[in-house]
Amino acid sequence: IKFLDDKVAEGVLVLEPTQAVSGRMLYPMYQEWCRQVGERSLGGRRFAMRMEAADRGIRQDGVVWRGIGRASGGWLGGTG
C-alpha cells in the first residue's frame, strides 16, 4: 500500500511488531495523504481490509492498529 511506503519513507511511521497507533490518528492521516497525492480515499472498512492484506505484520485490534507506530518526530510526533 503506497500510503505505508510513503509515510515510512518520510519517517512519519515505523513498521515494528511492538508498536501501536490509534485508528483515530492513522485513518485521517491516510485521508490527508490521499488529498495530497490526488487519490480517492477508501472508506474505513476497505482501508482496514487493505492495511491487513498488505502483509506487513499490521493488524487491527479494536480501535488500535498493531505493528505500526509513530516515528519520533514527524507529523504524529508533534514536530512538524
Side-chain angles (χ1 to χ4, degrees):
I1 185 167
K2 181 107 172 78
F3 162 69
L4 288 177
D5 294 338
D6 286 356
K7 291 303 173 185
V8 169
E10 291 170 10
V12 175
L13 295 173
V14 293
L15 300 176
E16 296 288 337
T18 60
Q19 296 291 315
V21 67
S22 165
R24 290 183 182 191
M25 289 183 170
L26 190 61
Y27 186 66
M29 179 191 289
Y30 162 72
Q31 291 177 309
E32 178 60 26
W33 174 85
C34 286
R35 280 190 285 278
Q36 290 174 356
V37 300
E39 287 198 21
R40 184 172 174 225
S41 64
L42 300 171
R45 196 173 318 167
R46 288 188 107 191
F47 171 75
M49 289 170 50
R50 184 78 50 92
M51 290 285 284
E52 288 184 334
D55 196 28
R56 308 265 180 104
I58 301 168
R59 65 180 173 82
Q60 191 173 21
D61 186 7
V63 297
V64 174
W65 283 94
R66 306 229 180 255
I68 186 169
R70 298 181 279 188
S72 58
W75 189 80
L76 285 175
T79 62

